């Protein structure tokens, strides 16, 4: 079974992204596990990341609807906003971003890149972001523009299709390498990445567990979000299925002191992968998820109880985010 979509796709990503082993880290784990990494930090758009695959479908949809401006929202260091701004520049569209917080004295990391890509910024409180985005859409329409509204993280069924196809890409790579993953691990926040992968696995008939390490939501909340979005995405891909929250594999043990607050878990994971394998994680998403995975792997018996005794080959899906490292410099070194 393969995934066929008839939806327009605007090419933004350099695909396939690499899949390669993490040999030194695997050896450190006393040979119990073989770790691989899927490099969506190398999608090629504006330093890469998981939003590129979603934006291929979102931008194409915007163009098909005759829109002239992409609008979306996120945190100050939003990777999603940075990639949306770059995608808009590539497609010849305007981009307006609603960011939560106060403008800092010096723009750094993703915020600096938003500005370089020519995005117009609107500031509001974190809680008011979605309201402000709706208001902005009305203002733009009133001024004769045609805005295309992209929700948090590009996580709707249009964007999530990008990750259903990504799973097919991974399956082709694992088949060519003759490896059988026992578990895929990703950071999960607005849920579109995990939902796309889960829907992709369903359409492909590939029985591979996909664990989302929650970045900012309780397990119950995230399972509900992902189940709903995966159900909508499966329907959009022509193989309807209703996922129940209990079908969605989530770990919410690593929320630390909250969204965007880098703790020792993230700091150590970032250092370990940087020094051990020459790979950059980020302080908000991949640092937290990889740190969580390492913590789970440190106790092989507990890990076997959670995921089954045959779980040895693990693919960590790197979803990008490295520009945020620069904004966290004082806390990292
Ligand atoms: C680097 C990175 N990884 C993971 C995620 C989470 O992806 P999703 O929102 O699709 O759950 C994000 C979301 O912004 C991100 O920027």
């Amino acid at each position: 079974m393969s995934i066929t979509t008839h939806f327009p796709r605007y090419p933004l990503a350099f695909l396939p992204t690499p899949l390669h082993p993490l040999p030194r880290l695997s050896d450190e784990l006393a040979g119990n596990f073989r770790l691989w990494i899927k490099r969506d930090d190398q999608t090629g758009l504006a330093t890469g990341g998981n939003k590129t695959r979603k934006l291929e479908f979102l931008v194409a949809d915007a163009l098909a609807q005759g829109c002239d401006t992409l609008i979306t929202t996120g945190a100050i260091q939003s990777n999603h906003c940075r990639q949306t701004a770059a995608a808009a520049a590539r497609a010849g569209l305007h981009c307006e971003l609603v960011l939560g917080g106060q403008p800092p004295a010096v723009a750094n990391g993703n915020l600096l890149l938003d500005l370089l890509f020519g995005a117009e910024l609107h500031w509001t409180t974190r809680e008011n972001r979605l309201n402000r985005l709706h208001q902005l859409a009305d203002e733009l329409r009133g001024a004769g523009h045609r805005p295309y509204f992209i929700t948090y993280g590009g996580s709707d069924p249009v964007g999530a299709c990008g990750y259903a196809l990504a799973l097919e890409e991974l399956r082709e790579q694992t088949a060519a390498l003759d490896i059988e993953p026992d578990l895929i691990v990703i950071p999960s926040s607005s849920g579109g990445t995990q939902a796309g992968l889960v829907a992709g696995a369903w359409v492909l008939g590939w029985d591979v567990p996909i664990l989302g390490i929650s970045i900012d939501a309780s397990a119950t909340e995230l399972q509900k979000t992902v189940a709903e979005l995966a159900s909508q995405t499966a329907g959009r891909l022509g193989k309807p299925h209703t996922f129940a929250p209990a079908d969605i594999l989530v770990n919410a043990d690593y929320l630390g002191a909250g969204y965007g607050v880098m703790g020792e878990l993230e700091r150590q994971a970032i250092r370990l992968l940087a020094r051990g394998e020459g790979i950059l994680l980020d302080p908000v998403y991949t640092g937290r998820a990889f740190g969580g995975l390492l913590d789970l792997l440190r106790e092989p018996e507990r890990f076997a109880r959670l995921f089954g005794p045959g779980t040895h080959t693990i693919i960590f899906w790197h979803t990008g985010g490295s520009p945020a490292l620069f904004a966290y410099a004082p806390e990292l070194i």
Side-chain angles (χ1 to χ4, degrees), residues 50-51 54 79 155 187-193 285 319-321:
N50 63 339
K51 308 307 172 199
K54 300 178 181 181
N79 300 299
S155 288
S188 197
S189 177
S190 61
T193 305
Y285 298 94
T319 48

Side-chain angles (χ1 to χ4, degrees), residues 130-187:
L130 220 41
N131 284 339
R132 181 69 188 94
L133 192 62
H134 283 287
Q135 195 190 354
L136 176 64
D138 290 341
E139 288 164 14
L140 286 167
R141 278 187 213 106
H145 289 285
R146 300 199 61 178
Y148 184 83
F149 183 103
I150 303 179
T151 193
Y152 285 127
S155 288
D156 66 9
V158 175
C161 280
Y163 268 90
L165 288 161
L167 196 77
E168 187 166 35
E169 177 183 300
L170 181 76
R171 194 180 62 163
E172 282 162 15
Q173 290 174 310
T174 54
L177 289 160
D178 201 18
I179 59 165
E180 193 58 57
D182 301 311
L183 183 68
I184 295 172
V185 181
I186 51 154

Side-chain angles (χ1 to χ4, degrees), residues 5-319:
T5 67
H6 308 289
F7 311 117
R9 184 173 183 175
Y10 189 88
L12 294 168
F14 299 156
L15 302 178
T17 56
L19 170 71
H20 64 84
L22 294 173
R24 267 166 301 282
L25 218 56
S26 299
D27 287 348
E28 266 183 45
L29 295 164
N32 285 320
F33 303 104
R34 301 317 293 168
L35 287 185
W36 291 70
I37 191 161
K38 174 70 171 154
R39 299 295 301 274
D40 272 17
D41 57 322
Q42 302 293 322
T43 53
L45 178 73
T47 82
N50 63 339
K51 308 307 172 199
T52 314
R53 293 183 191 264
K54 300 178 181 181
L55 283 161
E56 288 200 328
F57 288 98
L58 293 163
V59 168
D61 194 35
L63 293 171
Q65 291 183 30
C67 295
D68 59 12
T69 307
L70 301 184
I71 61 168
T72 195
T73 183
I76 298 182
Q77 283 301 325
S78 166
N79 300 299
H80 162 65
C81 288
R82 176 246 311 160
Q83 288 188 77
T84 303
R90 280 272 291 277
L93 299 168
H94 298 290
C95 179
E96 302 210 10
L97 303 172
V98 171
L99 300 180
Q102 298 283 334
V106 180
N108 194 355
N110 282 305
L111 181 61
L112 170 66
L113 301 187
D114 295 343
L115 294 168
L116 282 179
F117 290 124
E120 196 168 314
L121 308 184
H122 306 265
W123 296 90
T124 187
T125 58
R126 184 175 157 84
E127 302 70 42
N128 192 45
R129 284 180 301 184
L130 220 41
N131 284 339
R132 181 69 188 94
L133 192 62
H134 283 287
Q135 195 190 354
L136 176 64
D138 290 341
E139 288 164 14
L140 286 167
R141 278 187 213 106
H145 289 285
R146 300 199 61 178
Y148 184 83
F149 183 103
I150 303 179
T151 193
Y152 285 127
S155 288
D156 66 9
V158 175
C161 280
Y163 268 90
L165 288 161
L167 196 77
E168 187 166 35
E169 177 183 300
L170 181 76
R171 194 180 62 163
E172 282 162 15
Q173 290 174 310
T174 54
L177 289 160
D178 201 18
I179 59 165
E180 193 58 57
D182 301 311
L183 183 68
I184 295 172
V185 181
I186 51 154
S188 197
S189 177
S190 61
T193 305
Q194 189 172 8
L197 294 174
V198 166
W202 161 252
V203 176
L204 292 169
W206 190 15
D207 186 17
V208 58
I210 298 158
L211 171 68
I213 297 203
S214 179
I215 300 305
D216 49 0
S218 70
T220 317
E221 247 179 297
L222 185 59
Q223 283 176 306
K224 185 169 176 288
T225 305
V226 174
E228 275 170 16
L229 193 46
S231 305
Q232 291 163 359
T233 308
R236 188 169 166 82
L237 291 170
K239 197 175 171 195
H241 181 67
T242 304
F243 293 92
D247 299 334
I248 309 298
L249 206 51
V250 156
N251 178 306
D253 290 345
Y254 303 103
L255 303 178
Y259 176 85
V261 184
M262 187 177 61
E264 216 30 51
L265 181 93
E266 293 83 11
R267 195 176 292 109
Q268 283 193 11
I270 291 169
R271 285 191 187 154
L272 189 77
L273 211 60
R275 291 170 192 191
E277 302 276 358
I279 296 173
L280 296 175
L281 294 172
D282 82 282
V284 181
Y285 298 94
T286 54
R288 180 160 290 180
F290 198 72
L293 172 61
L294 289 175
D295 185 60
L296 289 168
L297 294 177
R298 263 180 208 116
E299 285 185 52
E301 279 161 25
R302 181 177 54 134
F303 190 82
R305 272 201 306 281
L306 287 172
F307 302 106
T311 305
H312 299 298
T313 303
I314 299 161
I315 297 178
F316 180 74
W317 206 304
H318 192 330
T319 48

